[in-house]
């Protein structure tokens, strides 16, 4: 269930469980669809050691092209995900877990909340995720500043759209210094404002 406009936005301290949980989920994706993927990446704030985050894992499955995407959609649906298309972000395809037991591998495990995306290799959406994560990982001062911003925004709004929009200037500044061009930055800014 997505955060509503009146639900508190929970930003928690970093948990060492997050990379472990990512590894467990990654193993399942490798087992079921690994032959179609060029990579699996833990992205978002839970992928940056020490960074406060909403306790939701962001996972990017990377495919070479739309043909590979078409091959994995039915497999992920069998695992209990609902395919939701690009959801307004080109080349980033969203899969929604239907329950806390998704992926369904007959184990009865309740998985952590996670956002699963399938990104086309080389796309702006994938580069955005990887560049931001990598910059935050290698610059502790930058990560600290981002963590403070996230906590401040979460404390002052229950509107997830305003929370996302409030982070946009920080994110596009980091991405601009990391190599994204003006057109790509404007695209990201536009997407974050219409979420």
């Amino acid at each position: 269930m997505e955060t509503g406009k009146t639900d508190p936005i929970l930003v928690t301290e970093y948990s060492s469980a997050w990379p472990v949980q990512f590894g467990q989920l990654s193993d399942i994706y490798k087992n079921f669809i690994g032959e179609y993927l060029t990579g699996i990446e833990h992205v978002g704030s839970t992928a940056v050691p020490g960074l406060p985050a909403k306790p939701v894992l962001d996972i990017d499955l990377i495919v070479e092209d739309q043909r590979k995407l078409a091959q994995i959609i039915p497999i992920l649906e069998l695992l209990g995900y609902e395919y939701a298309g690009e959801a307004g972000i080109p080349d980033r395809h969203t899969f929604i877990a239907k329950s806390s037991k998704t992926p369904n591998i007959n184990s009865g495990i309740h998985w952590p909340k996670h956002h699963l995306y399938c990104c086309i290799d080389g796309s702006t959406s994938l580069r955005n995720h990887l560049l931001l994560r990598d910059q935050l990982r290698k610059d502790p001062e930058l990560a600290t500043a981002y963590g403070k911003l996230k906590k401040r925004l979460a404390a002052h709004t229950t509107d997830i759209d305003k929370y996302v929009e409030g982070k946009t200037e920080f994110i596009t500044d980091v991405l601009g210094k990391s190599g994204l061009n003006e057109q790509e930055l404007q695209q990201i800014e536009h997407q974050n404002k219409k979420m």
Side-chain angles (χ1 to χ4, degrees), residues 77-189:
E77 288 176 336
L78 286 173
L79 289 173
Y81 291 96
E82 178 182 341
Y83 176 55
E86 290 182 333
I89 300 183
D91 296 325
R92 190 196 78 176
H93 298 263
T94 302
F95 292 84
I96 300 167
K98 291 183 182 177
S99 80
S100 65
K101 292 185 179 181
T102 302
N104 308 331
I105 55 169
N106 300 321
S107 63
I109 293 173
H110 288 271
W111 296 104
K113 188 170 180 183
H114 58 284
H115 294 150
L116 183 65
Y117 305 107
C118 188
C119 299
I120 305 300
D121 203 359
S123 64
T124 299
S125 60
L126 177 62
R127 290 175 60 227
N128 165 6
H129 285 175
L130 297 178
L131 286 171
L132 181 62
R133 179 200 66 189
D134 292 348
Q135 284 300 113
L136 292 170
R137 280 180 172 175
K138 73 180 185 181
D139 188 339
E141 288 183 13
L142 188 67
T144 297
Y146 189 45
K148 287 179 181 177
L149 172 64
K150 288 157 61 75
K151 285 182 172 181
R152 187 171 66 250
L153 291 168
H156 290 95
T157 187
T158 58
D159 186 330
I160 192 66
D161 295 333
K162 287 184 179 176
Y163 173 81
V164 170
E165 191 172 334
K167 299 186 303 175
T168 300
E169 183 178 348
F170 182 98
I171 291 169
T172 55
D173 183 57
V174 172
L175 293 173
K177 292 173 181 172
S178 301
L180 291 192
N181 64 44
E182 191 60 36
Q183 182 179 355
E184 291 170 318
L185 295 173
Q186 287 175 357
Q187 181 183 8
I188 291 164
E189 186 175 329

Side-chain angles (χ1 to χ4, degrees), residues 40 55 68 77 179:
I40 304 173
K68 298 281 188 184
E77 288 176 336

